[in-house]
Amino acid sequence: MNLSMKDKILQHFLQSKGEPISGQQLADELGISRTAIWKHLQTLQEEGYKFITIKKKGYQLVAAPDRVDAAKISSFLKTKRFGYSIHYFEEIDSTQTYAQKLARQGAEDGTVIIAEEQTGGKGRMQRIWHSAKGKGIWMTVIIRPNILPHQAPQLTLVAAVSVVMAMKSLYQNFTPEIKWPNDILINGKKCAGILTEMLAEMDRVDGLLIGIGINTNHELDDFPEDIQSIATSIAIEEKKKVDRAELVAEILKNLEHFTDEYVENGFTSIKTLWEEHSGTIGKRIKASTIRETIEGQAIGITDEGVLEILLDDGQVKKVYSADIEIQN
Ligand code: BT5
């Protein structure tokens, strides 16, 4: 983990869950002086953390700013590789663009780029992804699975399963559903989107950039007017604010696990999970591809992650990439 000394100190406090920590013990553990500890605590106070001194016990963290930085995420982390290198920004144009640069420079498998705000958040096909400051999870995970270029779209489905299962394990008041291929909906409204980009040669994948955008703590007013009728957030549905760092850590745990499972055993088990959590299969849908619009019943996905639609004339059509609308 590439944490600075200040972040290491912070991590101790976050993991102590409100219990005081003695300055001497911290100094001994980290191999620095008590004065150095005190100086780092001063800097943390300037960043919005609040410590009080408790006689004979040490320092106690009593308030923390709402941020998704490396120290915060790592205090929840339960992974083997993912999330050990975290690049955190208060503001960035797009975590995807930055990830592309890092991936080209050889960033390791499981590197995370995360920001409080994106000024140029991207959806698919040059669409805009609204990324309000401090309200959501705007992150890209660089992964380097040993797969062939044509398998890359399956990783979008692996990511969708990872996100939806993380939500299900942390929240109780709603049921998220995957809408093929890359949306997570709650009660029919979009709460999260996934954008997978690939760095590849003809026959080899160098890396995948798994972009994950999740609306976590938005109130309806935090969305621009044009998406207020189609968007929602976890806080709106769960009826309480969520800890973004905890959700990030849970997603990273799932993403690492399911990517490994996929590389070792193929798409079959992921496909089953995806279908279990999908709100698309069995429904009548309208699919708009670049070439045409087709209507029919979504009957499943193939072993390649391709959507199969049963048309009214009995034909089964395979759809590789499209926007779909679920009909009543
Ligand atoms: C997606 O595209 O859903 C992929 C979104 C990926 C965003 C992440 S955030 C971290 C990383 N860095 C980036 O720059 N991007 C990734 P698509 O299926 O094309 O959906 C885009 C459409 O969703 C837009 O045209 C709007 O209609 C809608 N939309 C935009 N922002 C939204 C939001 N915050 N919540 C719900 N819907 C939104």
Side-chain angles (χ1 to χ4, degrees):
M1 170 73 58
N2 59 350
L3 288 182
S4 65
M5 184 54 77
K6 181 187 69 165
D7 280 347
K8 281 186 189 154
I9 294 171
L10 178 57
Q11 198 186 19
H12 273 79
F13 281 100
L14 291 170
Q15 283 170 343
S16 79
K17 306 261 182 264
E19 287 300 310
I21 304 181
S22 110
Q24 188 61 56
Q25 187 193 329
L26 206 51
D28 291 345
E29 254 175 62
L30 295 170
I32 58 173
S33 69
R34 287 193 64 167
T35 321
I37 297 279
W38 186 82
K39 280 193 184 144
H40 285 300
L41 292 184
Q42 290 303 310
T43 315
L44 285 166
Q45 304 245 42
E46 280 157 24
E47 290 175 10
Y49 291 89
K50 206 162 168 243
F51 298 91
I52 55 169
T53 313
I54 298 186
K55 246 191 171 164
K56 296 208 178 111
K57 290 203 164 156
Y59 303 107
Q60 185 180 23
L61 176 65
V62 290
D66 180 15
R67 292 169 23 153
V68 273
D69 54 19
K72 207 77 190 281
I73 294 168
S74 59
S75 69
F76 289 105
L77 210 56
K78 294 183 219 103
T79 51
K80 295 188 283 269
R81 315 186 299 283
F82 283 23
Y84 284 83
S85 170
I86 296 178
H87 299 254
Y88 168 81
F89 297 88
E90 288 280 343
E91 186 191 299
I92 199 167
D93 53 351
S94 158
T95 56
Q96 290 292 108
T97 319
Y98 194 85
Q100 217 164 77
K101 249 190 316 194
L102 278 186
R104 290 221 166 83
Q105 291 162 4
E108 66 194 49
D109 186 32
T111 297
V112 172
I113 299 90
I114 189 159
E116 296 293 343
E117 180 181 13
Q118 292 187 119
T119 51
K122 301 193 289 185
R124 294 178 302 157
M125 295 173 278
Q126 316 302 324
R127 291 183 191 134
I128 291 173
W129 181 258
H130 296 286
S131 320
K133 186 181 171 97
K135 300 287 174 184
I137 291 172
W138 323 125
M139 77 168 168
T140 302
V141 187
I142 300 173
I143 62 172
R144 300 195 183 271
N146 187 7
I147 58 166
L148 296 168
H150 77 269
Q151 295 175 286
Q154 297 180 337
L155 267 300
T156 298
L157 307 187
V158 169
V161 165
S162 303
V163 171
V164 100
M165 290 184 66
M167 286 184 182
K168 281 195 163 169
S169 72
L170 295 177
Y171 316 117
Q172 281 75 47
N173 295 339
F174 61 84
T175 307
E177 286 183 335
I178 308 170
K179 183 179 130 190
W180 188 88
N182 68 324
D183 290 352
I184 312 283
L185 305 187
I186 305 176
N187 294 322
K189 290 179 160 194
K190 185 157 171 172
C191 177
I194 293 161
L195 172 67
T196 304
E197 294 178 303
M198 174 166 61
L199 297 177
E201 288 162 32
M202 284 296 280
D203 55 354
R204 194 168 66 97
V205 171
D206 281 338
L208 290 168
L209 313 176
I210 309 282
I212 300 177
I214 306 176
N215 305 323
T216 49
N217 287 325
H218 299 63
E219 298 298 326
L220 205 54
D221 286 355
D222 295 317
F223 293 111
E225 243 169 58
D226 60 318
I227 61 164
Q228 283 186 5
S229 61
I230 58 159
T232 192
S233 73
I234 298 178
I236 293 172
E237 306 295 332
E238 182 72 358
K239 300 184 176 60
K240 77 168 195 264
K241 246 186 108 183
V242 305
D243 190 327
R244 291 176 295 156
E246 183 181 26
L247 178 56
V248 168
E250 191 69 19
I251 292 170
L252 291 176
K253 186 184 80 182
N254 289 350
L255 193 60
E256 179 182 88
H257 171 77
F258 290 122
T259 305
D260 288 352
E261 162 82 23
Y262 168 79
V263 171
E264 274 160 37
N265 302 321
F267 189 57
T268 319
S269 62
I270 306 294
K271 180 181 161 188
T272 310
L273 284 173
W274 190 91
E275 285 177 340
E276 247 171 55
H277 297 290
S278 156
T280 307
I281 307 306
K283 301 263 171 67
R284 194 173 171 81
I285 62 164
K286 196 193 226 175
S288 311
T289 68
I290 333 174
R291 266 178 280 128
E292 57 182 345
T293 299
I294 48 179
E295 277 190 49
Q297 194 192 9
I299 51 172
I301 51 172
T302 65
D303 284 342
E304 285 76 43
V306 174
L307 183 66
E308 289 185 309
I309 304 178
L310 175 65
L311 306 185
D312 295 339
D313 65 6
Q315 255 191 84
V316 174
K317 239 187 156 155
K318 286 185 178 172
V319 175
Y320 292 83
S321 170
D323 276 313
I324 64 167
E325 221 177 276
I326 297 170
Q327 320 220 285
N328 294 323

